[in-house]
Amino acid sequence: MVLPLTASPSLVIFDCDGVLVDSEKPMHEELRDELELRGISMSFETCLTSFMGKSIEDVIDTAAQLGADLPSNWKAILYERVFERLKQGVEVIPGVPEFVARLKTVGIPFCVVSNGSEKKMQLMLSQHDLWDDFKDNCFSAHTVGIAKPDPGLLRYALDTMNARANQAVIIEDSEIGIKSAENADVPCLIYDPSFGGGSSAVHAKSRFSSMDEISSHLFSFIGDT
């Protein structure tokens, strides 16, 4: 069950890919093309559904289960390919710079928690002058050794930031990230640009179609409107 935000948070946690930067499309395009070289053909949509939010180890395991013929150094090959694509530039999610600036103005701590590596986060966030805002509070599954949806990664970030689960909020865009929030009992706001509203939608009350909507919802509890 997704816990809704019901009070002003003492900590705002951001996922990185798809929440701070629009990196899901280029990363999964490269993954899809790489898998095709390894004997697995799938659409971009299937690739996104199958791999979005997964750690690199889970990506490798899933690809192997699908029958991909993977060399022993495939992790390094995939990383190099994805990094070269990301170096060409990724867009920041609209509204993120303003959201971060607003949090800084009112003094609410924030951090980033991701299954991706710190190196990848630095590469992407530096393109939009956001790395300095997150570099001291950056929690990567690669460094911590625990990946979403295991709640351990989020709990490690909470402990480091001296925040309780029910006093924090995390912004996620993937089912794996949402499950991680559920497992750690952290309220979650879901960024879903395709969301059209409607009370029948899954997690409808916690799902938003823009970062501006998420920011407005969060700040409605803070009273800074």
Side-chain angles (χ1 to χ4, degrees):
M1 175 182 175
V2 171
L3 296 177
L5 179 65
T6 59
S8 176
S10 62
L11 174 68
V12 177
I13 306 169
F14 293 88
D15 178 43
C16 187
D17 295 300
V19 170
L20 292 176
V21 288
D22 192 9
S23 51
E24 298 288 7
K25 185 175 188 292
M27 289 196 307
H28 286 85
E29 285 179 343
E30 295 302 318
L31 174 58
R32 176 200 58 192
D33 293 349
E34 181 62 33
L35 287 173
E36 190 161 358
L37 293 176
R38 311 298 169 185
I40 301 295
S41 181
M42 63 175 64
S43 67
F44 170 78
E45 290 74 17
T46 299
C47 184
L48 192 65
T49 300
S50 301
F51 294 97
M52 183 176 173
K54 290 188 174 182
S55 67
I56 184 62
E57 286 75 18
D58 285 342
V59 167
I60 293 172
D61 288 345
T62 301
Q65 291 169 13
L66 291 172
D69 182 15
L70 305 178
S72 60
N73 64 337
W74 191 62
K75 179 178 179 178
I77 292 172
L78 180 60
Y79 267 144
E80 182 176 1
R81 179 167 189 157
V82 169
F83 268 67
E84 286 304 312
R85 176 69 180 274
L86 296 177
K87 285 178 183 177
Q88 297 175 23
V90 293
E91 296 295 326
V92 69
I93 296 297
V96 162
E98 295 81 4
F99 191 177
V100 171
R102 200 172 179 186
L103 290 172
K104 291 165 64 177
T105 297
V106 298
I108 294 179
F110 55 90
C111 64
V112 57
V113 177
S114 173
N115 275 349
S117 68
E118 289 184 13
K119 181 179 178 182
K120 181 162 72 73
M121 286 189 272
Q122 181 177 5
L123 170 64
M124 298 185 298
L125 297 178
S126 293
Q127 295 175 14
H128 302 285
D129 297 323
L130 288 170
W131 179 241
D132 284 345
D133 292 321
F134 287 97
K135 65 181 181 181
D136 294 329
N137 297 307
C138 175
F139 302 94
S140 163
H142 291 228
T143 303
V144 178
I146 309 171
K148 304 172 188 178
D150 190 303
L153 180 58
L154 264 180
R155 288 172 179 164
Y156 179 86
L158 289 168
D159 288 344
T160 304
M161 300 294 293
N162 296 311
R164 296 181 180 179
N166 63 356
Q167 295 175 333
V169 64
I170 186 167
I171 303 167
E172 287 283 0
D173 71 319
S174 71
E175 289 304 319
I176 286 176
I178 295 167
K179 188 64 178 177
S180 173
E182 292 176 344
N183 290 340
D185 295 321
V186 177
C188 182
L189 302 178
I190 304 165
Y191 173 62
D192 180 3
S194 65
F195 182 57
S199 59
S200 62
V202 178
H203 311 320
K205 293 182 179 180
S206 295
R207 193 176 294 266
F208 302 85
S209 62
S210 75
M211 200 56 64
D212 288 339
E213 289 181 359
I214 290 178
S215 177
S216 295
H217 179 70
L218 187 150
F219 276 92
S220 69
F221 294 98
I222 299 169
D224 174 23
T225 56

